[in-house]
C-alpha cells in the first residue's frame, strides 16, 4: 500500500483527533527509523518517550516474543510470572511497597487519585478529597486526569462538567500552600512538565512542597509518566530532588513500546487498596510486562551516566545555535525555546530526516536512551540548519 492510500484510509476511518505528520513509519534499528516509502529518519521522539531502547532492540524482542510463544493474556483472575517479576523489580529499585498495573499514563494517574482519596477517607472520613495539581501540568485525557490537568485550553466547555475536587496551583511552594485546605488529600506534581514545554520545577520549591505535605499528612503524588524509566538520567526524576513521594505513576517508556502503566505505592499507602477496590482487564498484561522486565533490568547506573552525558552534550551544543533562546530539561528530555514557531521547525526537521517533537512553543527532544553519538551529531547538524536559518 502506498502512503497516499494509507493516508486516505486513515482520514476516512479514524476519528480526527490527531494532526499527523505525513509519513508512515514502518521499521528501523535503534534510533534510525524507516518509512514505507524508503525514507530514513533519526528518531528524537521515541514515539513520545516510549521506545526507550529504540526499535528492533534484540533483548526486548526476545523477551516479548518468548512471552508471545507462552501466553498473551490471562486476566487478573490468575497469576502470571512477568507481572510478579516486574512488580518485584520496581519495588526493589525504588523502595515502593506495592504496584498496580494498568495500560497507560492516564490510567496510572486515575489509580493514584482513587488511592489518595481512599487513604484519606479511611483515616479522616468524608470531605477530604481535594487534589492540588500545578498550572501547566498534564496528567492525561480521561475525565479525572483531564480535570487534574492544570491548563484551561484542555478544559473546553464541550466536555464539561469536569470532576470536582481539583485545584490548580502556581508551581511554587507558596502557590501550593495557598491552594491547600482542610479538604486536601493529595498534591500531584510533574517534576518536569513535559507537554507544556519541558519546564523543570525548582528543587527548593519541590522540597518545600514535600515538607508541607508531610506536615499535613497530604499525600505527595509524582507523575513520572514521561520523566520515568531512565529518561532524565535517573530511574525516576524524583531522585534528582531528594524527595520521598507517597505515590509515583509511570507509563510511556516503561515497557519499551508496549502499553503499560504502573502506580507505585510507598510506605504510607502500601495497603490502601483491598480486593475489589480497583481493577483493569488488560492491566499487567504478560507481554507488556515481559517487555518491561527486559527494559528495567538494563536501567542501571552505567546507563544513567550515559544518558546524563549525552544530555549535557546536547544542551551545550544546542545553546550555541543561533535563534535558540533557552534549553531546558534533564538527561534526554530537552525543550528548546527558539524565535520561530515550533511546529514549522519540526516539519522542516522531518523534511531533512530528523524526527523531533513539540511542546507548546518549544521543540522537544526525547531520543531513545541508547541513541548513538554519531546520531546525536547528525541531529545537531540538522537542528542547527533549521533553527539558525
Ligand atoms: C503522556 C502523559 C500522560 C498521559 O499518558 P497516556 O498514556 O497518554 O494516557 C500523563 N502524564 C504525563 C506527565 C504525560 O507525559
Amino acid at each position: 500500500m502506498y502512503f497516499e492510500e494509507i493516508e486516505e484510509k486513515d482520514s476516512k476511518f479514524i476519528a480526527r483527533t490527531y494532526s499527523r505528520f505525513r509519513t508512515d513509519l514502518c521499521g528501523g534499528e535503534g534510533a534510525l527509523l524507516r518509512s514505507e516509502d524508503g525514507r530514513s529518519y533519526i528518531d528524537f521522539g521515541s514515539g513520545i518517550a516510549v521506545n526507550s531502547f529504540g526499535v528492533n532492540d534484540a533483548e526486548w524482542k526476545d523477551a516479548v516474543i518468548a512471552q508471545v510463544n507462552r501466553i498473551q493474556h490471562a486476566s487478573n483472575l490468575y497469576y502470571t510470572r512477568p507481572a510478579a517479576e516486574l512488580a518485584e523489580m520496581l519495588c526493589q529499585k525504588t523502595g515502593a511497597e506495592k504496584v498496580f498495573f494498568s495500560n497507560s499514563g492516564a490510567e496510572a494517574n486515575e489509580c493514584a487519585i482513587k488511592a489518595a482519596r481512599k487513604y484519606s477517607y479511611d483515616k479522616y472520613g468524608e470531605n477530604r478529597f481535594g487534589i492540588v495539581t500545578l498550572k501547566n501540568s498534564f496528567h492525561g485525557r480521561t475525565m479525572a486526569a483531564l480535570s487534574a490537568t492544570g491548563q484551561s485550553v484542555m478544559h473546553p466547555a464541550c466536555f464539561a462538567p469536569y470532576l470536582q475536587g481539583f485545584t490548580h496551583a502556581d508551581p511554587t511552594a507558596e502557590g501550593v500552600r495557598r491552594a491547600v485546605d482542610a479538604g486536601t488529600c493529595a498534591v500531584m506534581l510533574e517534576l518536569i512538565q513535559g507537554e507544556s514545554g519541558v519546564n523543570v520545577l525548582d528543587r527548593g520549591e519541590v522540597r518545600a512542597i514535600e515538607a508541607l505535605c508531610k506536615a499535613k499528612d497530604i499525600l505527595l503524588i509524582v507523575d513520572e509518566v514521561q520523566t520515568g524509566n531512565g529518561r532524565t538520567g535517573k530511574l525516576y526524576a524524583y531522585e534528582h530532588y531528594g524527595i520521598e513521594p507517597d505515590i509515583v505513576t509511570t507509563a510511556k517508556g516503561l515497557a519499551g513500546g508496549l502499553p503499560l502503566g504502573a502506580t507505585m505505592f510507598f510506605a504510607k499507602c502500601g495497603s490502601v487498596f483491598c480486593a475489589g477496590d480497583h481493577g483493569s482487564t488488560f492491566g499487567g498484561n504478560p507481554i507488556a510486562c515481559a517487555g518491561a522486565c527486559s527494559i528495567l533490568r538494563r536501567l542501571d547506573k552505567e546507563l544513567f551516566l550515559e544518558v546524563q552525558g549525552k544530555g549535557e552534550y546536547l544542551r551545550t551544543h544546542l545553546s550555541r545555535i543561533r535563534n535558540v533562546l533557552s534549553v531546558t530539561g534533564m538527561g534526554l528530555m530537552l525543550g528548546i525555546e527558539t524565535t520561530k514557531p515550533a511546529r514549522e521547525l519540526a516539519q522542516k526537521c522531518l523534511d531533512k530526516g530528523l524526527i523531533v517533537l513539540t511542546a507548546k512553543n518549544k521543540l522537544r527532544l526525547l531520543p531513545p536512551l541508547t541513541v548513538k553519538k554519531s546520531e546525536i551529531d547528525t541531529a545537531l547538524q540538522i537542528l542547527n540548519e533549521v533553527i539558525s536559518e
Side-chain angles (χ1 to χ4, degrees), residues 151-265:
Q151 303 179 49
S152 43
V153 290
M154 300 283 282
H155 298 155
C158 57
F159 301 129
Y162 296 90
L163 267 71
Q164 58 166 315
F166 292 93
T167 318
H168 308 123
D170 289 327
T172 59
E174 183 49 34
V176 171
R177 195 171 294 119
R178 276 200 302 268
V180 158
D181 61 25
T184 306
C185 70
V187 171
M188 177 150 88
L189 312 171
E190 264 177 292
L191 295 168
I192 305 176
Q193 297 180 324
E195 299 303 312
S196 65
V198 196
N199 310 318
V200 181
L201 295 196
D202 179 80
R203 193 168 191 268
E205 298 293 336
V206 169
R207 291 172 69 108
I209 292 170
E210 182 198 32
L212 171 75
C213 288
K214 282 224 159 78
K216 294 179 185 281
D217 195 20
I218 290 170
L219 295 182
L220 181 60
I221 305 171
V222 177
D223 177 346
E224 299 243 18
V225 171
Q226 191 160 156
T227 52
N229 314 302
R231 177 55 52 192
T232 68
K234 298 265 189 198
L235 185 56
Y236 292 102
Y238 72 78
E239 297 166 45
H240 292 288
Y241 287 79
I243 57 169
E244 294 175 344
D246 299 300
I247 302 178
V248 172
T249 62
T250 193
K252 290 190 166 87
L254 177 60
L258 290 169
L260 182 66
T263 308
M264 291 179 263
F265 301 105

